[in-house]
Amino acid sequence: MNQTLNMLGIDYGASGGRAMLGSFDGSRINLEEIHRFENIPVRMGDHLYWDFLRLFHELKQGIGKYIQAGGPQLASVAVDSWGVDFGLLDGHGRLLANPYHYRDMRNEGMPELVCQTISKEELYGLTGSYPWQYNSLFQLMATRNHDPVLWENAKSLLFMPDLFHYFLTGAKAVEYTVASTSGLLDPRTHSWSEALFAGLQLPRHWLSDIVQPGTILGSIRPSICNELGITASIPVITTASHDSAAAVVAAPLKDKDALFISCGTWSIMGVESRIPVLDPQGLELSFTNEGGLDGKTRIVKNIMGLWLLQECRRQWNQEGEAISFAEMQELARNEKCGISFIDPDDLSFLAPEHMPGAIRSYCQTTSQPVPQSKGEIVRCIVDSLALKYRQTAGELEQLIGKKLGTIHIVGGGVQHRLLCQLTAEATGKPVMAGPVEATVAGNLLVQAITHGEISDEAEAREVVFRSFSTDTYEPSNKGLWEEAYGRYLRIINHKNGGLGNAGVGKECDNISIT
């Protein structure tokens, strides 16, 4: 290429966001932070919401700061965010209310309600989506049951990245990877599950057409251009709009038998596949099928990840005992391994009022030593996450029928060197960690593919190898972790009544659509 391609990636996470400039010279991509902001959910009354107006303001701030700095012309802009949550629009395209947060308690009981009409097994066969209560399907049911005014006035639905793109361009479209998190998609056809919408009498007309990553939606609205001082048209592209799908684009997976963990607020662990897994074993092991680049499927398990540490830190800071993540890691490093374990996916950790208290309560209920100090609590979390990754790797090998190799960790968890090392030790597999900024890097790489400067995902990963450093962690202490894993399994299986997972949706009746 004759000149550098400059693109802006807007990445929204569950706790914060950033606008990053990606400059691609034909060989490497360089990242530069333009704007960073917090994403603080708002509790109003009995419910938890995303502050969409503030988040959209921050998007414009990111673009505006770049324009004001007088940098080279932007080739494009793209937004990625978390999945499942959505906004509802009226007939004039106006946002009816701030989107509900997926941790809002209105979703409780919705999987059981759906299972009065369609069995859990049939639901999984239709969508390949494990019935977690926060899925978009169950949020839709909660809206219909608990928010009739919103339901009656809604005319269209857009998932979070699509909502940002709509108000940025005026174009309504649903990007494939984020649609795949909804529990409303047929993973075989990559289209909406007509049988599901018909069986549950959901408003199919609310859903826009599905577009693939790399679709040019249009340009930034003239009104926003005037507001921000933009003088030339800037295209807006659908990247791999679900943040974990974008992160996997930037995971340097050279080994076809490699696993990945996109480690942030959630740990999304899985493998890439050309075909979805829809059989009962996938349901039994709580795996879900999500979309990837080039029509691929990511067979993944959603594990509550750094959320556990984030909430402990937030609680301690609120109590006047301020502590950094680096300090938490060092305290844990000085504690003994394998004293107490939790199941990170136990529902008691989904939205507790006091995370350290919830962890102590779990250990007490399961007749384990109860962690007291900050170091003991953090060590309990990271040991448990490492063992959860081992459990998940073994289940994946069982599910797809082959031995898996290196684990690639990307995202914020790369900075938790203790967790990376413990993951290698617990799983007995080498861990390659990096890049940290995988999500926004993947966002930008998809934009570069759209511009024709990178041919495909394989070449994008070669760019990742050239652009970012990685660290490798080798397994050790096999005997110690074998014993710890046996105790971990006994503890979580006893707590879950032998289910082997958190038991979400276990009460569903086996009733089929008629």
Side-chain angles (χ1 to χ4, degrees):
M1 60 188 299
N2 296 323
Q3 59 184 8
T4 300
L5 182 70
N6 294 290
M7 307 156 290
L8 201 62
I10 314 293
D11 170 37
Y12 289 95
S15 59
R18 59 267 176 91
M20 300 280 281
L21 175 68
S23 301
F24 180 58
D25 64 5
S27 176
R28 298 180 179 178
I29 189 165
N30 179 66
L31 304 183
E32 178 186 348
E33 183 177 302
I34 304 299
H35 180 54
R36 184 175 289 265
F37 52 91
E38 288 187 311
N39 181 7
I40 302 175
V42 177
R43 184 165 294 282
M44 188 166 61
D46 296 328
H47 295 289
L48 191 63
Y49 302 90
W50 297 108
D51 189 353
F52 180 80
L53 299 183
R54 169 55 54 183
L55 294 177
F56 189 72
H57 169 76
E58 299 292 358
L59 185 160
K60 292 191 294 182
Q61 286 287 102
I63 299 172
K65 283 184 178 181
Y66 181 80
I67 299 299
Q68 292 159 19
Q73 171 67 22
L74 286 174
S76 55
V77 174
V79 175
D80 68 78
S81 86
W82 64 95
V84 305
D85 291 335
F86 54 81
L88 294 173
L89 306 176
D90 68 10
H92 299 285
R94 296 173 297 199
L95 185 65
L96 287 167
N98 269 316
Y100 283 98
H101 193 296
Y102 59 81
R103 296 189 193 274
D104 187 74
M105 290 295 99
R106 74 186 185 128
N107 304 323
E108 287 186 352
M110 291 302 109
E112 292 74 31
L113 180 65
V114 167
C115 287
Q116 293 176 14
T117 302
I118 175 173
S119 72
K120 186 171 58 173
E121 292 76 16
E122 188 174 1
L123 184 63
Y124 191 78
L126 288 173
T127 68
S129 184
Y130 189 79
W132 301 112
Q133 69 178 35
Y134 47 73
N135 287 358
S136 310
L137 166 61
F138 305 124
Q139 293 200 49
L140 264 179
M141 298 297 290
T143 302
R144 184 166 74 182
N145 281 16
H146 302 311
D147 209 335
V149 174
L150 184 59
W151 184 267
E152 291 167 7
N153 286 281
K155 301 300 179 186
S156 58
L157 178 155
L158 290 172
F159 300 100
M160 294 303 293
D162 307 315
L163 198 62
F164 288 114
H165 283 147
Y166 168 67
F167 283 105
L168 197 58
T169 67
K172 287 183 184 177
V174 176
E175 189 274 328
Y176 164 62
T177 67
V178 77
S180 72
T181 71
S182 66
L184 300 167
L185 195 74
D186 184 332
R188 292 155 296 208
T189 63
H190 300 174
S191 59
W192 302 118
S193 174
E194 301 296 345
L196 181 67
F197 280 88
L200 295 175
Q201 298 182 332
L202 295 173
R204 168 65 180 82
H205 60 280
W206 283 8
L207 278 300
S208 300
D209 291 338
I210 294 172
V211 300
Q212 290 298 312
T215 299
I216 300 175
L217 290 175
S219 299
I220 296 176
R221 292 175 185 255
S223 60
I224 295 177
C225 289
N226 291 336
E227 177 186 352
L228 301 181
I230 299 171
T231 57
S233 175
I234 300 177
V236 176
I237 291 173
T238 60
T239 182
S241 298
H242 182 218
D243 52 9
S244 68
V248 171
V249 173
L253 305 175
K254 281 193 170 182
D255 180 358
K256 65 179 181 179
D257 295 328
L259 300 98
F260 59 79
I261 304 175
S262 177
C263 188
T265 299
W266 290 86
S267 289
I268 313 299
M269 184 172 185
V271 295
E272 286 189 318
S273 174
R274 280 293 173 189
I275 57 173
V277 171
L278 304 174
D279 58 67
Q281 188 180 35
L283 174 63
E284 180 184 353
L285 296 174
S286 70
F287 283 93
T288 198
N289 295 268
E290 295 181 349
L293 197 61
D294 191 28
K296 290 180 182 176
T297 294
R298 291 173 297 116
I299 303 169
V300 300
K301 178 170 285 191
N302 296 341
I303 301 166
M304 275 190 261
L306 301 184
W307 160 255
L308 299 161
L309 298 174
Q310 292 165 353
E311 279 297 285
C312 283
R313 179 174 180 265
R314 183 190 65 79
Q315 187 64 45
W316 290 326
N317 288 350
Q318 185 176 307
E319 293 171 355
E321 301 175 10
I323 187 170
S324 69
F325 287 117
E327 289 169 334
M328 291 167 67
Q329 184 174 175
E330 284 309 304
L331 287 175
R333 193 183 297 276
N334 293 326
E335 297 293 338
K336 291 182 178 179
C337 169
I339 302 300
S340 302
F341 304 122
I342 59 171
D343 180 354
D345 287 335
D346 192 88
L347 286 181
S348 63
F349 305 128
L350 182 63
E353 293 184 4
H354 192 287
M355 183 65 80
I359 290 167
R360 291 189 183 107
S361 177
Y362 185 101
C363 292
Q364 185 173 22
T365 300
T366 51
S367 302
Q368 300 181 80
V370 177
Q372 298 298 327
S373 69
K374 293 183 179 67
E376 289 171 344
I377 290 172
V378 175
R379 186 67 196 223
C380 173
I381 291 170
V382 294
D383 283 353
S384 300
L385 282 173
L387 289 167
K388 186 73 174 186
Y389 299 157
R390 170 172 174 160
Q391 179 186 10
T392 302
E395 290 170 344
L396 266 170
E397 290 174 339
Q398 176 184 344
L399 188 63
I400 64 178
K402 68 176 181 178
K403 192 75 173 174
L404 296 169
T406 302
I407 298 175
H408 290 263
I409 298 180
V410 297
V414 169
Q415 299 174 98
H416 203 300
R417 298 181 66 85
L418 176 60
L419 177 59
C420 293
Q421 181 60 50
L422 295 180
T423 299
E425 293 179 5
T427 61
K429 298 178 184 294
V431 167
M432 182 178 289
V436 175
E437 300 287 3
T439 299
V440 75
N443 175 323
L444 293 160
L445 289 165
V446 174
Q447 293 186 59
I449 291 172
T450 306
H451 290 294
E453 300 297 341
I454 296 175
S455 59
D456 54 21
E457 186 177 50
E459 185 180 347
R461 286 173 175 158
E462 293 293 338
V463 172
V464 172
F465 268 106
R466 293 192 293 266
S467 304
F468 305 102
S469 61
T470 59
D471 293 312
T472 300
Y473 300 83
E474 296 293 342
S476 61
N477 299 321
K478 182 177 179 180
L480 171 67
W481 285 97
E482 286 297 323
E483 187 277 333
Y485 186 54
R487 282 193 293 118
Y488 163 83
L489 289 178
R490 288 193 295 273
I491 288 163
I492 67 168
N493 286 334
H494 177 73
K495 175 68 164 58
N496 298 328
L499 291 172
N501 58 49
V504 179
K506 64 184 179 182
E507 297 88 353
C508 293
D509 296 324
N510 190 13
I511 304 172
S512 298
I513 288 178
T514 56

